C-alpha cells in the first residue's frame, strides 16, 4: 500500500510500510538514521581477529546506553561502516564521540594490557563521515553488507555486526 501526497508542488508516493517505523519521544515522532564511516588512526589495519569480535559486541552495548540502535554494520580491516538510528535528543557528533571514545578505552583495556588510567587516545582517527539515510535504507544496508567485497584492500574475514 502506498501514500500519495503533494510536497512543494510535486506528487510524492511513499510506501506506508516504510513510514510506520517512526519512534516516539514525549513530544515528537522520529526516524533518524545515519550512515557513519570512521577509521583507526593512520588507517592501520587494526580491526581484525579478536578485536573485531570484541568491537561488535561493544558497539551494540554502547549504542543501547544512548538509546540508539545499530541497524547494520561492517568492520573492514581499516574502517567501520554502520547504519545507526539516533534519537533527536542526541546530536550525531555526541554519539560518534561517545562510541569512538568508549570503544578506544575498551580496546586498550582488553588488548593493551592496561586496566586503569588509560584514555584510549591512540586508536581512532579524529574525524568521521556521516550521511543521512531516508527512504533509501535498503540500498545503504546492501552497501554496508557488501563492503568487504568492495574494499580495494581485499581484507578477508567476517566483519558484519
Amino acid at each position: 500500500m502506498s501514500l500519495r501526497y503533494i510536497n512543494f508542488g510535486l506528487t510524492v508516493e511513499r510506501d506506508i510500510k516504510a513510514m510506520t517505523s517512526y519512534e516516539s519521544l514525549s513530544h515528537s515522532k522520529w526516524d533518524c538514521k545515519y550512515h557513519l564511516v570512521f577509521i583507526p588512526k593512520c588507517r592501520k589495519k587494526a580491526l581484525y581477529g579478536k578485536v573485531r569480535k570484541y568491537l561488535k559486541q561493544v558497539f551494540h552495548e554502547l549504542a543501547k546506553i544512548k538509546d540508539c540502535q545499530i541497524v547494520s554494520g561492517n568492520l573492514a580491516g581499516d574502517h567501520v561502516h554502520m547504519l545507526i538510528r539516533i534519537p533527536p535528543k542526541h546530536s550525531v557528533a555526541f554519539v560518534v564521540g561517545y562510541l569512538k571514545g568508549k570503544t578506544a578505552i575498551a580496546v586498550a583495556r582488553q588488548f593493551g594490557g592496561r586496566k586503569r588510567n588509560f584514555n584510549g587516545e591512540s586508536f581512532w582517527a579524529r574525524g568521521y563521515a556521516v550521511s543521512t539515510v531516508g527512504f533509501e535504507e535498503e540500498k545503504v544496508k546492501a552497501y554496508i553488507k557488501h563492503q568487504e567485497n568492495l574494499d580495494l584492500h581485499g581484507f578477508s574475514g567476517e566483519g558484519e555486526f
Side-chain angles (χ1 to χ4, degrees):
M1 185 174 186
S2 63
L3 172 70
R4 288 183 81 128
Y5 62 95
I6 298 176
N7 188 9
F8 297 107
L10 300 172
T11 302
V12 180
E13 192 166 326
R14 297 283 189 224
D15 186 15
I16 295 278
K17 184 180 175 186
M19 295 181 73
T20 59
S21 64
Y22 285 87
E23 298 286 330
S24 293
L25 290 172
S26 60
H27 298 286
S28 62
K29 295 274 190 190
W30 64 274
D31 186 26
C32 304
K33 290 179 244 138
Y34 303 93
H35 178 204
L36 296 175
V37 181
F38 49 93
I39 62 172
K41 247 191 190 161
C42 302
R43 198 135 185 172
K44 292 180 184 172
K45 301 235 184 238
L47 306 174
Y48 58 90
K50 292 179 182 179
V51 175
R52 177 181 280 194
K53 288 180 184 176
Y54 180 71
L55 277 176
K56 289 179 192 179
Q57 173 191 358
V58 173
F59 274 130
H60 282 283
E61 289 173 6
L62 291 172
K64 220 178 258 187
I65 290 170
K66 293 297 177 191
D67 302 321
C68 300
Q69 177 192 8
I70 297 175
V71 178
S72 178
N74 192 323
L75 290 162
D78 62 350
H79 62 282
V80 175
H81 281 269
M82 73 173 65
L83 176 61
I84 186 169
R85 292 174 59 118
I86 301 174
K89 66 182 180 179
H90 296 303
S91 71
V92 176
F94 170 75
V95 172
V96 173
Y98 178 79
L99 290 174
K100 286 171 64 174
K102 294 296 185 184
T103 54
I105 292 169
V107 167
R109 287 183 177 162
Q110 187 74 19
F111 300 101
R114 298 184 70 181
K115 300 292 181 194
R116 303 171 83 196
N117 299 329
F118 189 80
N119 58 9
E121 62 194 29
S122 63
F123 193 73
W124 299 113
R126 289 179 64 188
Y128 62 93
V130 64
S131 173
T132 57
V133 177
F135 292 103
E136 293 83 26
E137 180 179 352
E138 293 305 318
K139 290 180 184 177
V140 174
K141 279 184 187 177
Y143 174 76
I144 290 171
K145 185 173 182 177
H146 297 294
Q147 189 55 216
E148 288 291 331
N149 297 332
L150 298 174
D151 190 12
L152 296 175
H153 302 290
F155 186 82
S156 63
E158 188 63 31
E160 202 172 295
F161 67 99

